Amino acid sequence: MPSIDTAGAVLRIDLEALAENYRIIQRQVAPATVAGVVKANGYGLGAEHVAATLMDAGCRHFFVALLGEAVALKPALRDGVSLFVLNGLQPGAEGDCAAIDAIPVLNSLDQIVRWARQARTLGRRLPAVLQVDSGMSRLGLSPEEVATLVAEPERLDGIDLKLIMSHLACADDPDAAFNDQQRENFEALARHFPDVPRALDNSGGAFLKRGHFDLVRAGIALYGGAPQGSPNPMRAVVALEARITQLRNVPAGAGVGYGLTHGCDRPTQIATIPVGYADGWPRHLSNVGSAFIKGIRAPIIGRVSMDSITLDVTDVPDILLYPGAPVELLGPHQTIDAVAADAGTIAYEILTQLGQRYCRVVGAATVPHKRSITA
Ligand SMILES: *Cc1c(COP(=O)(O)O)cnc(C)c1O
């Protein structure tokens, strides 16, 4: 991994804040239990230390999307911790899934057939989650397929149903009427499995003003993203600080960056920083986004390049501007949700795209910063 001196920027991952967010959600949804969603490498932050932190905080249920993610994470999990695979079982994956005691989310009658067959092959009952489609039209059994299952319960022979779940389409919008519609659809489908614990809510759902069933699958809120717009009750988990590579002064009329998409309308001081779209800093932030230098906004001018960004620092005091000077990309003045809004996307995408070239400092609340004023 790049060091503080060899990387273009330092990505700080605050595991204290992650644990605090887990506790905030747990208080919010009690008496329901909070499961950690750690798919996509813990939303880009590192599934292993995320899971270790959450286990310390009391989390005993984890969800990944793919069996491959489960295989990678399994050795890091402690005894008695459950690992669920949201996308369920690809044909041919049954043996691998059973071998690591991962619990598939069965999304179709076909997946049920294959898991039941695997149970017969192994001569033991196998655990599973049943997902029903309550209106999102993405994964899970349709109401008709649920009816088939209810009429032919022997299809579940050998399968130990641990949970029945569904997923909300509009949970980030507390005013969306569809949230109630989905809850009603879900309750109607889950009623056929009266003894099985139920799970409907993600981060957004956890903050809807109603009950939360038995288990809540929390992802983005754990990582500091706003579950439902502002105000955001979560603590920021990531901070990203780049260091100025080069400073220059250009006259009015100068063009900046690829395609010269920015023209300076005044004599302008430009700071170039070593973070670009190859680091997951969206190219859509060209001429739109911002950075902050000691809290002072420095707009991105010109296009975001693969490895660098140009900032207008004309209004930043000179004392703060030198090669190696710190520039905040994510931190107290700029949240993941703010960057996402500027880029026309969501915080999930900002987090999961965070690059591999950063120096990642995990756990520490503050990063040692070397001041190198050697002008
Ligand atoms: C990703 C995912 C979650 C977590 O959603 P957040 O909005 O990040 O809390 C929960 N459930 C399912 C089925 C998911 O795919």
Side-chain angles (χ1 to χ4, degrees):
M1 193 193 68
S3 71
I4 285 183
D5 293 313
T6 63
V10 176
L11 180 70
R12 233 188 303 137
I13 298 169
D14 183 347
L15 297 178
E16 277 295 313
L18 175 75
E20 180 59 21
N21 287 340
Y22 175 82
R23 291 188 284 266
I24 290 170
I25 302 165
Q26 186 61 75
R27 280 197 296 274
Q28 177 70 26
V29 304
T33 298
V34 179
V37 179
V38 294
K39 60 193 181 186
N41 195 28
Y43 287 42
L45 304 189
E48 285 193 18
H49 47 246
V50 165
T53 303
L54 294 177
M55 284 188 287
D56 285 346
C59 185
R60 291 293 173 269
H61 304 85
F62 291 92
F63 285 84
V64 292
L66 302 170
L67 183 56
E69 296 179 315
V71 170
L73 183 61
K74 179 69 184 178
L77 299 183
R78 298 174 197 154
D79 289 348
V81 169
S82 304
L83 180 56
F84 302 93
V85 182
L86 288 167
N87 284 1
L89 285 171
Q90 310 241 54
E94 301 82 8
D96 290 333
C97 188
I100 62 162
D101 291 326
I103 304 175
V105 175
L106 301 176
N107 291 304
S108 65
L109 291 176
D110 165 64
Q111 292 187 356
I112 292 171
V113 167
R114 287 187 281 105
W115 199 230
R117 188 186 301 142
Q118 185 66 26
R120 281 197 300 281
T121 301
L122 295 176
R124 62 178 165 100
R125 290 170 68 76
L126 291 174
V129 177
L130 187 66
Q131 174 152 224
V132 295
D133 179 15
S134 58
M136 188 173 172
S137 312
R138 187 176 71 168
L139 287 167
L141 272 68
S142 66
E144 295 71 30
E145 289 169 319
V146 172
T148 300
L149 203 53
V150 171
E152 302 168 19
E154 66 280 4
R155 285 171 179 262
L156 288 168
D157 282 355
I159 295 177
D160 186 9
L161 274 192
K162 297 288 188 192
L163 189 71
I164 181 160
M165 65 168 265
S166 192
H167 192 49
L168 293 168
C170 308
D172 57 336
D173 175 5
D175 299 325
F178 201 60
N179 291 324
D180 287 335
Q181 181 66 56
Q182 274 197 279
R183 179 177 47 80
E184 287 166 23
N185 293 349
F186 176 62
E187 284 180 326
L189 294 168
R191 204 166 289 138
H192 297 296
F193 307 88
D195 301 327
V196 181
R198 295 176 292 172
L200 179 60
D201 292 336
N202 64 343
S203 296
F207 288 85
L208 292 172
K209 291 183 176 50
R210 55 154 172 75
H212 301 284
F213 301 100
D214 299 297
L215 189 74
V216 168
R217 304 179 306 271
I220 193 72
L222 287 172
Y223 308 107
Q228 293 180 340
S230 64
N232 181 359
M234 314 316 299
R235 275 182 59 187
V237 174
V238 295
L240 181 62
E241 186 179 278
R243 300 168 76 185
I244 292 174
T245 305
Q246 188 177 18
L247 291 149
R248 72 180 63 252
N249 288 289
V250 298
V256 181
Y258 284 120
L260 306 176
T261 58
H262 177 84
C264 297
D265 58 7
R266 59 176 178 172
T268 301
Q269 186 169 28
I270 298 173
T272 302
I273 60 171
V275 169
Y277 62 77
D279 303 292
W281 207 251
R283 192 166 174 276
H284 281 103
L285 291 176
S286 300
N287 292 305
V288 180
S290 311
F292 288 81
I293 298 176
K294 281 267 189 293
I296 301 164
R297 180 170 175 268
I300 293 176
I301 54 174
R303 288 210 177 120
V304 173
S305 301
M306 183 184 292
D307 315 301
S308 59
I309 294 170
T310 35
L311 302 171
D312 182 343
V313 295
T314 312
D315 298 331
V316 177
D318 279 343
I319 184 134
L320 301 175
L321 300 174
Y322 50 92
V327 176
E328 174 191 331
L329 289 170
L330 294 170
H333 302 92
Q334 182 154 268
T335 64
I336 50 177
D337 286 288
V339 170
D342 281 349
T345 183
I346 51 177
Y348 301 68
E349 194 173 28
I350 300 300
L351 288 182
T352 55
Q353 296 306 308
L354 286 170
Q356 298 306 315
R357 296 193 295 185
Y358 300 132
C359 169
R360 289 179 174 231
V361 178
V362 177
T366 51
V367 183
H369 173 65
K370 260 209 251 166
R371 266 185 90 89
S372 54
I373 309 181
T374 48

